[in-house]
Amino acid sequence: MTTHDLSPAATTAPGDAPAATPATDVHERLAASRAPLPASTKTHEHGVLHPRLRVPLREIALTNGERIAVYDTSGPYTDPAAATDVRRGLPAPRAEWIEARGDTEPYTGRPIQLFDDGLREAGQQQALRAHSVKLTRQPRRARGGANVTQMHYARRGIVTAEMEYVAIRENGRRAWMHEYLADSEREQRLRGQGLGASIPGIITPEFVRDEVARGRAIIPANINHPELEPMAIGRNFLVKVNANIGNSAVSSGIEEEVEKLVWATRWGADTVMDLSTGRNIHTTRDWILRNSPVPIGTVPIYQALEKVGGVAEELSWALFRDTLIEQAEQGVDYFTIHAGVRLPFVPMTVKRRTGIVSRGGSILAKWCIAHHRENFLYTHFEEICEIMKAYDVSFSLGDGLRPGSLADANDEAQFAELRTLGELTKVAWKHDVQTMIEGPGHVPMHMIQANMTEQLKHCDEAPFYTLGPLTTDIAPGYDHITSGIGAAMIGWFGCAMLCYVTPKEHLGLPDRDDVKQGLMAYKIAAHAADIAKGHPAARARDDALSKARFEFRWEDQFNLGLDPETAREFHDETLPKDSAKVAHFCSMCGPKFCSMKITQDVREYSAALAENGEQRVDSDAGEPSEADARAPARDLDAEAALTGMREKSAEFRAGGGELYIPIRQA
Amino acid sequence: MTTHDLSPAATTAPGDAPAATPATDVHERLAASRAPLPASTKTHEHGVLHPRLRVPLREIALTNGERIAVYDTSGPYTDPAAATDVRRGLPAPRAEWIEARGDTEPYTGRPIQLFDDGLREAGQQQALRAHSVKLTRQPRRARGGANVTQMHYARRGIVTAEMEYVAIRENGRRAWMHEYLADSEREQRLRGQGLGASIPGIITPEFVRDEVARGRAIIPANINHPELEPMAIGRNFLVKVNANIGNSAVSSGIEEEVEKLVWATRWGADTVMDLSTGRNIHTTRDWILRNSPVPIGTVPIYQALEKVGGVAEELSWALFRDTLIEQAEQGVDYFTIHAGVRLPFVPMTVKRRTGIVSRGGSILAKWCIAHHRENFLYTHFEEICEIMKAYDVSFSLGDGLRPGSLADANDEAQFAELRTLGELTKVAWKHDVQTMIEGPGHVPMHMIQANMTEQLKHCDEAPFYTLGPLTTDIAPGYDHITSGIGAAMIGWFGCAMLCYVTPKEHLGLPDRDDVKQGLMAYKIAAHAADIAKGHPAARARDDALSKARFEFRWEDQFNLGLDPETAREFHDETLPKDSAKVAHFCSMCGPKFCSMKITQDVREYSAALAENGEQRVDSDAGEPSEADARAPARDLDAEAALTGMREKSAEFRAGGGELYIPIRQA
């Protein structure tokens, strides 16, 4: 069923990439990206409804013997037991689930043409070279008119393997979390504000099914992407993060894009969008899909535009339709479709500071005005639905009219498009096609919530998927931060997936380090949002890390963090010695002056008080009256409230009273 | 009046700093820090009430001839016309204002002792060396019982030079902003949400006086810091950013700290806290103050602890009082005083995940329990006020019980202390002593607003000054981002100053690059907050940059940003050629595929429509009925609404219809 046809030419640089990387370097870097993270091992949970499911978790071994399991997006790459080879593609665990459902069939598929890779003249050397770089798989499609979407199954009451997989993955391993989340005062105090979210204490497969059936979550999972480890996008699940990769006419090549994919999933990308333009985009996509454990999204209009030589006016429904089928057969899990860029909305952008900044949006706007016709994606929307449901490609309804600057935020054009996306969501749902909605962009903090409110209202809680938003325009070079702020906020407000922004946004193409920096900012945003909205499994990791920090378990502090290597490097810069990794102080204050150490003394003293049945000091008892507050030198009230502590004080001093008594081994 | 006593020994490395930097390197780096930012010149505005005021602005020259003036914290260092020399200190523009008020007098001052620099044995070589590194100024104090605080003047109706300076600085140069903020639809749509702030359209000197009189703003301005360029901290002013510097027993030396100061103000630090511990802290502080154009804050308990050899129990009021006078004479502008760490609150920290993490808080908690007495800062608070008002040192009431982890956020201990700080604020105000309140720390997003609400309520709108807060604990190495999110939010909610966090937080001592990274994150947070709360002068810079971006004025886009050098570097990485700096495309999409370019075509087309009196297309007219929405293939309605556009469409195609027509020169 799978065709691996990889000639040696595969390792030559593709067409016009100016800075092509020798394949050996790529393979070396890939190998480096495959080492497990420090102190980490890959483990798996198994299904109940579908016992053969192997749902991955990353288990972090702490120095105190605890084992903390965290969500793992990195796929088989970080599993030394898995023999991955990007030249052959990943194993295909979903293949048997799909086949077992009996509603799909393999078929010959659309013949691959030179122009799929942006090549028009068969004589080109480049064309031949590119064409010989193959990593293809025979496509499947729904058997005669069947609907094979997860939403269709969900609405018929079927809990698919994908749904159970997602449920297990979202729950994580709760056993280790219990210790951290057991304190009832703390849990009450820190209880999240769901703002309309309805997250259950335990995610069951049935809950996943119900959310998918209602359209409140999607599981992007093309039947032609059997390598996928399924995940869910929805406001009642963990907030997800997307990383964009993709070559362009200016730089980058196939191998580099696969390397970025592996790298992005290592650092937590839940989905990856391949935004390639220029040459060899079909072939690049084959490589990416066959090597991707996460859902892959694309913007098919980019490839369609390449096929017409970059002239937007020459786009046609027939050509676009053919491109959708091409990509659906390859296994793309979600398509960005800018069907909301309607002709009447285009003039609304005239007075904008930055017009139309979405690539897809501007292409379609140009097509609309050149032909003086309604957007063909809008007029053919139901035909697109027919394709989507034959492969289970999810819609990501594109916000082609999103603001490109704060000045254009929440304007008439943006919200007119959003309302249209709401209408189209209902059309897609009529066909049981999974749908999410893309959102902005550039929005000042105080205008973010309105975006979420409008989206929930017009799109009936279909998952929202936003880029940022950037909360200021004045920091080119730091837009992972300007947008990380907005992303965290909108994630809390109900956004289901955050499209990352790298430091290179607006300036250049992200390299490997930029991809990591973008992901770090967005994993932070997503996690902060999970805590704020009250996801029951979110905060345990913060507590585990804080406990390690307080107990001077430096190694554990590093390893529980999002980026253990950087944390360790930073510590090494000031205190390089290994002994400092177990020291009861840190470099900020030095050995004589550690607040963490002092507070442990305080804790022991106070705990001793409590254990010995001393009356606990109440804050009210110790507080001065208003008259006292104006003359705080009188501390007699406090003194009075604290009789009995004097003795303990003496004990404390007798028992050491020093900064350097050994800490308790917890 | 000023004593410059700098022996050659000043350039030798101080006492026990392990990685002392040769002075020549420092001077080279300082020189590099003094070049004006790209395309920037220093200009000055003058006063009306006080005509000799010279209030600095940085003017950025754009390629289209515009000149954009922005707030400038960098002091004389970035002014090629100013001959700065860190070995002599800065000029002292405030000296004449202070003298003119006639209520202060120079005096001999407290004799400097070896132990001020943490040295106990006079025989030490180190001691002698350190003691020869002097950069001192004869102190002044209030004449016989006078009160010389800005608050005292304000309450008597006096608009000081400092107040007018602040007003001019806060307004900025409005002339250039008008073009950017003239569109009434846009200004209405983007209008900020003040959440209780009352920011006038124009900041007058009288408004500043009134805010200071009410205690809602402070102007930290010790009479012994005449080098200062005054600034205000208050919810109705621009959100400010503080950078912490300071050596510690583990690393760093005097010259490095001065270099960090210059570097920090270059990148936008509005105030700087010197958190030095260990040896030579008195001398380091002299150097910092004499070279600082921004207010300097300290935590005097750190130095007091050094004087008692690090043994918290040996601290006493007499020793602490002496330290306050020592630092007040040097010119420290605000003191962090942990007077709210009351004995009865200490046991409230027992069940915390991370106890007491504030250094000052833990020192005082230890003192309290060791002596079984109320915190001496609390009992002697009015005596501290007497010192503060003789020099105009502002209070920064420290949050010694702030949470050190999400788990401890908003707990009993934290809020008990906050209420005490509210009581102490009223005591300070009774003495007309300027006061701000420190806040946390580590707080999940959904619990941030409660911090602000409680602070405003209990502290009667005295300015809030928070560290972050960090919104998750799981990202050591990236806490400038975890906390930048919280900082932006609390800034919007009403926080007046944000204490930066660098990427090294929890891990090591920040180096020069860390200082910059921390400042970038926090300038972003502060600016995003200014926009959200509706500061009338905030958004113009975003608009200017967005306009430059849309018009492919790359140089202007770089130079209008917070960090022009990094933006340019990032652009160069992908497109190094100079011609790319004027290219009508960028590296993300390449020359054939630029949404910005396409949208300009769209704009011209639509604008032409409007100019020719065509009926403007209304979104409602073009929207399908609900029935249509379910069959979007029927675009007849939209077609009907758009009659007349067909002709324009033909015109557009005849007139080019290409991606590559030259852009209009705006």
Side-chain angles (χ1 to χ4, degrees):
Chain A
M1 192 171 299
T2 304
T3 312
H4 289 299
D5 176 2
L6 193 85
S7 76
T11 55
T12 59
D16 52 1
T21 315
T24 46
D25 284 5
V26 171
H27 293 150
E28 275 167 27
R29 285 206 301 274
L30 279 169
S33 303
R34 285 165 49 168
L37 288 173
S40 297
T41 48
K42 177 93 68 182
T43 61
H44 297 88
E45 294 279 328
H46 299 280
V48 174
L49 299 171
H50 303 88
R52 295 184 58 190
L53 297 186
R54 296 179 77 235
V55 182
L57 286 165
R58 177 164 68 93
E59 205 172 74
I60 306 167
L62 305 189
T63 58
N64 65 356
E66 290 177 46
R67 299 184 77 83
I68 306 290
V70 300
Y71 198 100
D72 185 5
T73 58
S74 62
Y77 295 105
T78 52
D79 185 359
T84 55
D85 178 352
V86 296
R87 292 162 300 181
R88 301 193 60 79
L90 293 177
R94 277 185 75 220
E96 62 176 283
W97 318 344
I98 294 161
E99 209 162 350
R101 288 196 278 260
D103 52 1
T104 59
E105 59 188 3
Y107 70 116
T108 307
R110 173 188 169 284
I112 304 307
Q113 301 160 57
L114 273 178
F115 92 142
D116 296 345
D117 271 326
L119 305 167
R120 310 195 104 178
E121 294 162 37
Q124 290 178 314
Q125 277 294 330
Q126 291 177 346
L128 291 172
R129 281 229 308 273
H131 210 59
S132 66
V133 185
K134 275 188 208 155
L135 187 60
T136 57
R137 177 182 287 281
Q138 187 182 12
R140 303 184 76 90
R141 68 181 166 200
R143 232 185 257 281
N147 186 330
V148 297
T149 71
Q150 294 289 321
M151 188 180 212
H152 188 67
Y153 301 136
R155 287 180 164 181
R156 290 190 301 161
I158 298 167
V159 176
T160 61
E162 286 86 348
M163 294 171 200
E164 187 178 23
Y165 193 103
V166 160
I168 295 166
R169 207 170 187 188
E170 289 280 333
N171 270 325
R173 204 170 274 167
R174 296 290 175 93
W176 72 266
M177 301 182 193
H178 286 157
E179 186 207 337
Y180 290 101
L181 304 178
D183 184 289
S184 63
E185 181 279 326
R186 188 179 293 146
E187 291 317 294
Q188 183 65 25
R189 176 162 42 82
L190 291 160
R191 196 175 46 185
Q193 284 179 17
L195 305 174
S198 322
I199 309 171
I202 296 289
I203 309 287
T204 62
E206 170 56 22
F207 177 76
V208 176
R209 187 204 60 74
D210 192 55
E211 290 289 295
V212 172
R214 292 175 67 151
R216 202 153 60 183
I218 67 171
I219 301 175
N222 186 323
I223 56 169
N224 289 311
H225 189 193
E227 301 87 353
L228 181 74
E229 296 178 348
M231 51 75 73
I233 303 167
R235 70 183 298 201
N236 294 321
F237 297 97
L238 292 163
V239 175
K240 302 305 188 297
V241 168
N242 172 71
N244 290 334
I245 62 173
N247 67 6
S248 84
V250 177
S251 182
S252 198
I254 292 178
E255 293 90 343
E256 282 180 52
E257 295 316 311
V258 175
E259 192 218 335
K260 276 188 205 161
L261 164 76
V262 175
W263 187 246
T265 59
R266 177 178 183 83
W267 297 114
D270 293 287
T271 79
V272 165
M273 289 195 79
D274 172 15
L275 302 185
S276 294
T277 59
R279 299 278 163 83
N280 299 320
I281 51 182
H282 179 97
T283 306
T284 302
R285 197 159 48 234
D286 266 341
W287 276 64
I288 288 176
L289 276 159
R290 299 293 69 82
N291 284 295
S292 178
V294 301
I296 297 296
T298 62
V299 187
I301 202 85
Y302 294 177
Q303 187 180 13
L305 190 71
E306 292 295 330
K307 291 178 179 177
V308 294
V311 183
E313 299 90 309
E314 293 186 12
L315 288 166
S316 68
W317 163 242
L319 179 105
F320 186 78
R321 182 180 186 282
D322 181 61
T323 304
L324 292 184
I325 291 169
E326 172 191 347
Q327 297 198 12
E329 288 179 348
Q330 286 182 291
V332 173
D333 300 289
Y334 61 91
F335 288 155
T336 293
I337 301 286
H338 295 98
V341 182
R342 295 197 55 202
L343 178 58
F345 305 157
V346 174
M348 294 177 189
T349 64
V350 170
K351 287 194 167 176
R352 281 182 156 185
R353 178 65 73 198
T354 47
I356 301 174
V357 295
S358 150
R359 282 190 264 177
S362 55
I363 293 161
L364 288 159
K366 185 158 190 191
W367 187 92
C368 288
I369 60 173
H371 293 279
H372 178 55
R373 289 183 61 86
E374 185 55 277
N375 180 344
F376 64 84
L377 301 177
Y378 182 78
T379 56
H380 291 277
F381 193 74
E382 294 209 79
E383 290 163 81
I384 300 174
C385 293
E386 296 295 341
I387 298 169
M388 306 298 259
K389 67 193 187 191
Y391 300 92
D392 197 7
V393 183
S394 298
F395 274 118
S396 185
L397 295 177
D399 57 334
L401 301 181
R402 68 170 175 267
S405 57
L406 263 54
D408 296 340
N410 294 18
D411 74 350
E412 184 189 22
Q414 183 194 330
F415 282 148
E417 182 187 38
L418 180 60
R419 286 191 295 273
T420 301
L421 300 184
E423 294 161 14
L424 295 173
T425 299
K426 292 175 193 71
V427 178
W429 285 354
K430 192 180 69 179
H431 292 271
D432 294 348
V433 175
Q434 303 190 92
T435 303
M436 63 181 168
I437 314 294
E438 294 182 11
H442 293 238
V443 184
M445 278 194 287
H446 66 294
M447 296 167 73
I448 292 175
Q449 192 149 21
N451 276 273
M452 196 67 233
T453 308
E454 290 295 300
Q455 192 273 345
L456 290 171
K457 178 173 142 198
H458 293 291
C459 304
D460 286 357
E461 295 190 278
F464 204 23
Y465 166 31
T466 64
L467 179 83
L470 285 72
T471 54
T472 166
D473 301 323
I474 67 164
Y478 299 86
D479 279 330
H480 60 312
I481 300 179
T482 64
S483 67
I485 294 166
M489 292 175 72
I490 205 162
W492 170 25
F493 299 157
C495 185
M497 185 156 78
L498 309 171
C499 182
Y500 87 167
V501 171
T502 77
K504 291 274 171 66
E505 183 77 11
H506 299 118
L507 298 170
L509 288 172
D511 62 20
R512 189 176 152 105
D513 185 57
D514 296 317
V515 167
K516 183 174 169 184
Q517 293 302 314
L519 277 163
M520 286 298 122
Y522 274 70
K523 294 307 278 187
I524 287 167
H527 186 74
D530 285 334
I531 290 169
K533 77 182 188 181
H535 191 290
R539 223 196 64 249
R541 187 171 174 183
D542 294 73
D543 267 25
L545 193 145
S546 296
K547 187 161 182 270
R549 180 174 282 158
F550 191 65
E551 292 174 358
F552 298 101
R553 287 185 277 114
W554 289 98
E555 295 286 346
D556 295 344
Q557 186 187 161
F558 305 151
N559 294 340
L560 283 164
L562 290 180
D563 181 0
E565 288 142 7
T566 297
R568 170 184 294 274
E569 268 169 38
F570 283 0
H571 191 257
D572 282 353
E573 278 179 33
T574 316
L575 287 174
K577 294 188 201 112
D578 271 356
S579 63
K581 299 293 181 295
V582 293
H584 292 167
F585 63 90
C586 56
S587 55
M588 278 73 75
C589 309
K592 284 175 68 179
F593 206 78
C594 177
S595 64
M596 289 282 200
K597 185 66 200 69
I598 291 175
T599 203
Q600 285 190 332
D601 297 340
V602 169
R603 180 188 278 197
E604 286 171 22
Y605 167 80
S606 300
L609 267 188
E611 275 167 26
N612 289 325
E614 296 287 347
Q615 193 186 338
R616 189 154 168 293
V617 176
D618 188 277
S619 64
D620 293 332
E623 279 186 354
S625 67
E626 188 159 341
D628 282 335
R630 300 190 178 277
R634 299 182 224 156
D635 57 346
L636 300 177
D637 282 5
E639 290 272 344
L642 289 162
T643 47
M645 283 183 81
R646 200 176 302 273
E647 190 185 342
K648 287 297 150 196
S649 174
E651 266 177 34
F652 173 70
R653 283 197 283 190
E658 282 302 317
L659 305 186
Y660 304 111
I661 56 176
I663 59 165
R664 258 176 313 139
Q665 296 303 319
Chain B
M1 191 171 302
T2 305
T3 312
H4 289 296
D5 177 3
L6 193 85
S7 75
T11 56
T12 58
D16 53 1
T21 315
T24 47
D25 284 5
V26 170
H27 293 151
E28 275 167 27
R29 285 205 301 274
L30 278 169
S33 303
R34 285 165 49 169
L37 288 174
S40 297
T41 50
K42 176 93 66 183
T43 62
H44 296 89
E45 294 279 328
H46 299 280
V48 173
L49 299 172
H50 302 87
R52 294 184 60 190
L53 297 185
R54 293 179 78 236
V55 183
L57 287 164
R58 176 164 68 92
E59 204 173 74
I60 306 166
L62 306 189
T63 57
N64 65 358
E66 289 177 46
R67 298 184 78 84
I68 305 290
V70 299
Y71 198 101
D72 184 6
T73 59
S74 61
Y77 295 105
T78 52
D79 184 358
T84 55
D85 178 352
V86 297
R87 292 162 299 180
R88 299 194 62 80
L90 293 177
R94 277 186 75 220
E96 62 176 284
W97 318 344
I98 295 162
E99 208 161 350
R101 288 196 279 260
D103 52 0
T104 59
E105 60 189 1
Y107 71 115
T108 307
R110 173 188 169 282
I112 304 308
Q113 300 160 56
L114 274 178
F115 92 144
D116 296 346
D117 271 326
L119 306 167
R120 311 195 102 178
E121 294 161 39
Q124 288 178 315
Q125 277 296 330
Q126 290 178 345
L128 291 172
R129 281 229 306 273
H131 210 60
S132 66
V133 184
K134 275 187 207 154
L135 187 61
T136 57
R137 176 183 287 281
Q138 188 183 11
R140 302 183 76 90
R141 67 180 168 202
R143 234 185 256 280
N147 186 330
V148 299
T149 70
Q150 294 289 322
M151 188 179 212
H152 188 68
Y153 301 135
R155 286 179 164 181
R156 290 192 300 161
I158 298 169
V159 177
T160 61
E162 286 85 349
M163 293 170 201
E164 187 179 23
Y165 193 104
V166 160
I168 295 167
R169 207 169 187 188
E170 290 279 334
N171 270 324
R173 202 170 276 169
R174 295 292 174 91
W176 72 266
M177 301 181 194
H178 286 158
E179 186 208 338
Y180 290 101
L181 305 177
D183 184 290
S184 63
E185 181 279 328
R186 188 180 292 145
E187 290 318 293
Q188 183 64 24
R189 174 161 44 81
L190 290 161
R191 197 175 46 185
Q193 284 179 18
L195 305 174
S198 322
I199 309 171
I202 296 288
I203 309 287
T204 63
E206 170 57 23
F207 178 77
V208 175
R209 187 204 61 73
D210 192 55
E211 290 289 295
V212 171
R214 293 174 67 151
R216 202 153 60 184
I218 67 171
I219 300 175
N222 187 323
I223 56 170
N224 289 311
H225 189 193
E227 302 87 354
L228 181 72
E229 297 178 349
M231 50 74 74
I233 302 167
R235 69 183 298 202
N236 293 322
F237 297 98
L238 293 163
V239 176
K240 302 304 187 298
V241 168
N242 172 71
N244 291 334
I245 62 174
N247 66 6
S248 85
V250 176
S251 180
S252 199
I254 292 178
E255 293 90 344
E256 282 180 52
E257 295 316 310
V258 176
E259 193 218 334
K260 275 188 206 162
L261 164 75
V262 176
W263 188 245
T265 59
R266 178 179 182 82
W267 297 113
D270 293 289
T271 79
V272 165
M273 290 195 78
D274 173 16
L275 303 184
S276 293
T277 60
R279 297 278 164 83
N280 299 320
I281 51 182
H282 179 97
T283 306
T284 302
R285 197 161 46 237
D286 266 340
W287 277 65
I288 287 176
L289 275 159
R290 299 291 71 81
N291 285 294
S292 178
V294 301
I296 297 296
T298 62
V299 187
I301 201 84
Y302 294 177
Q303 186 180 14
L305 190 71
E306 292 295 330
K307 291 178 178 176
V308 294
V311 183
E313 299 89 310
E314 292 186 11
L315 288 166
S316 68
W317 163 241
L319 180 104
F320 186 78
R321 183 180 186 282
D322 183 60
T323 305
L324 291 184
I325 291 169
E326 171 190 349
Q327 297 198 13
E329 289 179 349
Q330 288 183 288
V332 173
D333 300 288
Y334 61 90
F335 288 154
T336 293
I337 301 288
H338 295 98
V341 182
R342 296 197 54 202
L343 179 57
F345 306 157
V346 174
M348 295 178 189
T349 65
V350 170
K351 286 193 168 178
R352 280 181 156 187
R353 177 64 73 198
T354 48
I356 301 175
V357 295
S358 150
R359 282 191 264 178
S362 55
I363 292 162
L364 288 159
K366 185 158 190 190
W367 187 92
C368 288
I369 61 173
H371 292 280
H372 178 55
R373 290 184 61 87
E374 185 55 278
N375 179 344
F376 63 84
L377 301 178
Y378 182 78
T379 57
H380 292 277
F381 192 75
E382 294 209 79
E383 291 164 81
I384 300 174
C385 292
E386 296 294 342
I387 298 169
M388 307 298 259
K389 66 192 187 192
Y391 302 91
D392 197 8
V393 184
S394 298
F395 274 117
S396 185
L397 295 177
D399 58 333
L401 301 181
R402 69 168 174 269
S405 57
L406 263 53
D408 296 340
N410 295 18
D411 74 350
E412 185 189 21
Q414 183 194 330
F415 281 149
E417 182 186 38
L418 180 61
R419 286 190 297 271
T420 301
L421 300 185
E423 293 162 16
L424 295 173
T425 300
K426 292 174 193 69
V427 178
W429 285 355
K430 192 179 69 176
H431 292 271
D432 293 348
V433 175
Q434 303 190 91
T435 302
M436 63 180 168
I437 313 295
E438 295 182 13
H442 294 238
V443 183
M445 277 194 287
H446 66 295
M447 295 167 73
I448 291 175
Q449 192 148 24
N451 276 274
M452 195 68 233
T453 308
E454 289 296 300
Q455 192 272 345
L456 290 171
K457 178 173 143 196
H458 293 291
C459 305
D460 286 357
E461 295 190 276
F464 204 23
Y465 166 32
T466 63
L467 179 84
L470 284 73
T471 54
T472 167
D473 301 323
I474 66 166
Y478 298 86
D479 279 330
H480 60 312
I481 300 179
T482 64
S483 68
I485 294 167
M489 291 175 73
I490 204 162
W492 170 25
F493 299 156
C495 185
M497 186 157 76
L498 309 171
C499 182
Y500 88 166
V501 170
T502 77
K504 289 277 170 62
E505 183 76 13
H506 299 118
L507 298 170
L509 288 172
D511 63 19
R512 188 177 154 104
D513 185 58
D514 296 318
V515 167
K516 182 174 171 185
Q517 293 302 314
L519 277 164
M520 286 298 123
Y522 274 70
K523 294 307 277 187
I524 288 167
H527 185 74
D530 285 333
I531 291 169
K533 78 181 187 182
H535 190 289
R539 223 196 64 250
R541 186 171 175 184
D542 295 73
D543 267 26
L545 194 145
S546 297
K547 186 160 181 272
R549 180 174 281 157
F550 191 65
E551 292 174 357
F552 298 103
R553 286 186 277 115
W554 288 98
E555 295 288 346
D556 296 343
Q557 186 187 161
F558 305 152
N559 294 339
L560 284 165
L562 290 180
D563 182 359
E565 288 142 7
T566 297
R568 171 185 293 275
E569 268 168 38
F570 284 0
H571 190 257
D572 282 353
E573 279 178 33
T574 316
L575 286 174
K577 293 188 201 109
D578 270 356
S579 63
K581 300 293 181 293
V582 291
H584 293 166
F585 63 89
C586 57
S587 56
M588 278 73 75
C589 310
K592 284 174 70 178
F593 207 80
C594 176
S595 65
M596 289 282 199
K597 185 67 199 67
I598 291 175
T599 203
Q600 285 190 331
D601 298 338
V602 170
R603 178 189 278 199
E604 287 172 21
Y605 167 81
S606 300
L609 268 189
E611 275 167 25
N612 290 324
E614 297 286 346
Q615 193 185 339
R616 189 153 170 294
V617 176
D618 188 278
S619 65
D620 293 331
E623 278 184 356
S625 67
E626 189 161 341
D628 282 334
R630 298 187 181 279
R634 298 182 225 158
D635 56 346
L636 301 178
D637 282 5
E639 290 273 344
L642 289 163
T643 47
M645 283 183 81
R646 200 176 304 273
E647 189 186 343
K648 289 296 150 198
S649 174
E651 267 177 31
F652 173 70
R653 283 198 282 189
E658 282 302 316
L659 305 187
Y660 305 112
I661 56 175
I663 59 164
R664 258 176 313 140
Q665 295 305 318

